[in-house]
């Protein structure tokens, strides 16, 4: 039987536990705009302490610099309005520019704004703001998450801000090639060259982790079939080597992948299904925050990656739990 992405998505689905991340983001989404901005300020000032100073310094900010300069020159009320517009995804020139940024540029933009807020150059939270009970509820829900989940909530809320011009169709906004202006992250930890995963000997999997830990995306992508797919956490599959390569260059730089153990099930057609659990570190937080994740691979009979899903684990216990729950 031919492999399909739809059926690949369901592999090991009986071992998965629903993540608390979407529920926390749903609570956040119910807040009004000022509450959302305030929540992010309170959550970030806790979590943000662990951002490694090297990460944002290394991130090239060309794309965001212009916007930051404009915002710095505004009155406090105007600054608040820009932030409200971003959070409410209003259709304004600044919101459009932001919507066009890549994930790391969005994060770097807010990181810089946060620094300017701490220095008092930009107004920290909306003028006259009073914390509402709703913010408290979302903050309490956030505190129950592990650190890796907390930074995922922060990341996903920041990524969703701004006006998304892609909804208007392909020619609605001039697109530059983002890859050239991508934030670049320097690796701070030594590259682990020989990957060992308990229970796994599959060359495509070991080769994938080794290549990713060296930011060698060409080598990692060559392990996929032409029409292979990558499904990042909480996203739809990205299909085809070219699209995966673009995604990796924008979002997978500087990641440290530390798979720990896995299982491999050989299917009657010769394909293999593998589930591996482990920890991933982002260059934004370095070694201080580990995200518990799983990789679910579907390898075709020729040894190529047909499908790879990355999932955030609901609890650290799941790291140990590869079989049905
Ligand atoms: C200024 C302030 C504080 C207040 C204002 O009111 C509003 C906002 C928004 C503010 C600023 C907030 C800031 C600066 C937030 C910053 C958050 C950051 C830097 C979050 C970073 C998170 C990074 C994460 C969660 C990375 C996860 C990466 C993963 C899981 C990678 C997985 C992958 C693997 C393992 C693969 O094998 C394939 C590729 C793939 C990337 C999918």
């Amino acid at each position: 039987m031919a492999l399909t992405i739809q059926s690949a998505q369901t592999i090991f689905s009986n071992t998965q536990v629903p993540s608390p991340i979407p529920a926390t983001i749903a609570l956040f989404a119910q807040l009004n705009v000022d509450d959302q901005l305030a929540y992010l300020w309170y959550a970030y000032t806790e979590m943000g302490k662990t951002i490694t100073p090297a990460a944002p310094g290394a991130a090239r900010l060309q794309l965001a610099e212009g916007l930051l300069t404009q915002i710095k020159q505004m009155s406090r009320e105007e600054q608040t309005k820009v932030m409200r517009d971003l959070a409410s995804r209003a259709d304004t020139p600044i919101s459009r520019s932001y919507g066009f940024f890549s994930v790391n540029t969005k994060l770097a933009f807010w990181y810089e704004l946060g620094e300017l807020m701490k220095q008092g150059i930009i107004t920290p939270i909306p003028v006259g703001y009073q914390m509402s009970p709703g913010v408290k509820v979302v903050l309490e829900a956030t505190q129950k998450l592990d650190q890796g989940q907390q930074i995922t909530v922060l990341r996903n809320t920041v990524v969703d801000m701004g006006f998304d011009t892609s909804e208007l169709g392909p020619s609605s906004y001039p697109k530059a090639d983002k890859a050239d202006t991508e934030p670049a992250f320097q690796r701070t930890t030594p590259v682990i060259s020989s990957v060992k995963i308990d229970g796994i000997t599959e060359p495509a999997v070991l080769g994938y982790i080794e290549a990713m830990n060296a930011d060698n995306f060409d080598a990692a992508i060559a392990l996929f079939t032409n029409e292979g797919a990558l499904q990042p956490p909480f996203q739809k599959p990205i299909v085809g080597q070219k699209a995966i390569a673009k995604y990796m260059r924008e979002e997978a730089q500087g990641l440290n992948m530390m798979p720990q153990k896995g299982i491999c099930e050989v299917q009657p057609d010769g394909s293999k299904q593998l589930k591996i659990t482990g920890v991933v570190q982002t260059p934004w937080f370095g070694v201080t925050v580990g995200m518990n994740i799983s990789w679910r691979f579907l390898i075709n009979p020729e040894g190529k990656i047909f499908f790879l899903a990355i999932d955030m684990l609901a609890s650290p216990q799941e790291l140990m739990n590869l079989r049905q729950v």
Side-chain angles (χ1 to χ4, degrees), residues 36-49:
Q36 289 189 349
L37 291 168
Y39 159 84
L40 285 162
W41 173 257
Y42 295 122
Y44 173 77
T45 40
E46 265 318 298
M47 286 306 305
K49 283 184 203 135

Side-chain angles (χ1 to χ4, degrees), residues 36-38 40-41 44-45 51 83 107 110-114 117 124-125 148 151-152 154-155 158 161 208-209 212 230-233 247-248 251-252 255 257 280 282 284-285 291 293 295 308 310 312:
Q36 289 189 349
L37 291 168
L40 285 162
W41 173 257
Y44 173 77
T45 40
I51 284 199
M83 290 188 253
L107 293 170
W110 278 109
Y111 173 83
E112 284 296 319
L113 270 190
M117 288 176 184
I125 37 180
I151 65 166
T152 306
L154 279 183
R155 176 190 182 278
V158 165
M161 288 185 186
Y208 171 82
I209 301 290
M212 293 298 287
L230 172 77
Q231 182 178 292
Y247 172 86
M248 295 286 202
E251 302 208 18
L255 294 173
M257 305 193 182
V280 171
T282 151
W284 284 103
F285 292 88
M291 287 169 283
I293 69 149
W295 291 263
L308 167 58
I310 319 297
M312 304 291 302

Side-chain angles (χ1 to χ4, degrees), residues 70-260:
Q70 274 184 54
I71 298 170
K72 270 191 255 179
Q73 287 159 354
M74 292 175 173
S75 70
R76 300 222 138 199
E77 286 71 22
E78 285 167 333
Q79 290 171 350
T80 300
K81 181 172 182 315
V82 167
M83 290 188 253
R84 285 181 176 144
D85 287 344
L86 288 171
S88 63
R89 301 186 204 110
D91 185 1
T92 66
I94 290 187
S95 254
R96 279 189 177 223
S97 305
Y98 179 92
F100 170 66
F101 290 166
S102 70
V103 169
N104 281 325
T105 306
K106 285 177 179 169
L107 293 170
F109 167 85
W110 278 109
Y111 173 83
E112 284 296 319
L113 270 190
E115 290 304 297
L116 296 167
M117 288 176 184
K118 283 184 207 156
Q119 294 160 25
I121 297 170
I122 289 197
T123 179
I125 37 180
V127 183
Y129 174 78
Q130 297 228 307
M131 205 211 272
S132 75
V135 174
K136 274 198 177 151
V137 170
V138 193
L139 281 173
E140 276 162 20
T142 309
Q143 275 154 8
K144 291 194 189 113
L145 305 178
D146 67 39
Q147 281 196 317
Q149 293 167 333
Q150 292 180 352
I151 65 166
T152 306
V153 170
L154 279 183
R155 176 190 182 278
N156 292 6
T157 51
V158 165
V159 169
D160 272 356
M161 288 185 186
F163 186 75
D164 184 3
T165 52
S166 66
E167 282 168 14
L168 302 179
S171 58
S172 58
Y173 200 71
K175 298 249 156 140
D177 186 3
K178 284 189 210 163
D180 297 344
T181 38
E182 254 327 278
F185 293 103
Q186 300 288 306
R187 286 197 167 271
T188 46
T189 41
V191 175
I192 311 147
S193 57
S194 74
V195 180
K196 284 193 188 65
I197 312 172
D198 253 13
I200 302 295
T201 53
E202 180 61 34
V205 171
L206 301 177
Y208 171 82
I209 301 290
E210 191 174 328
M212 293 298 287
N213 275 338
D215 292 339
N216 186 349
F217 303 126
D218 290 342
I221 279 121
L223 296 165
F224 282 79
T225 63
N226 284 337
E227 69 293 355
L230 172 77
Q231 182 178 292
F234 313 112
Q235 287 184 44
K236 291 198 193 99
I238 299 161
V239 184
Q241 286 191 339
K242 215 172 138 204
I244 299 174
K246 182 173 179 291
Y247 172 86
M248 295 286 202
R249 276 199 297 274
E250 283 181 14
E251 302 208 18
Q253 262 192 56
L255 294 173
N256 262 336
M257 305 193 182
M258 293 168 286
Q260 290 168 358

Side-chain angles (χ1 to χ4, degrees), residues 10-71:
T10 65
I11 64 171
F12 295 108
S13 50
N14 57 355
T15 63
Q16 289 176 288
V17 178
S19 162
I21 294 170
T24 311
I25 293 178
L27 282 177
F28 167 85
Q30 283 169 20
L31 298 176
N32 69 36
V33 169
D34 284 357
D35 282 350
Q36 289 189 349
L37 291 168
Y39 159 84
L40 285 162
W41 173 257
Y42 295 122
Y44 173 77
T45 40
E46 265 318 298
M47 286 306 305
K49 283 184 203 135
T50 55
I51 284 199
T52 55
R60 289 198 300 260
L61 260 177
Q62 289 105 313
L63 280 174
E65 212 63 73
L67 281 198
L68 287 164
T69 310
Q70 274 184 54
I71 298 170

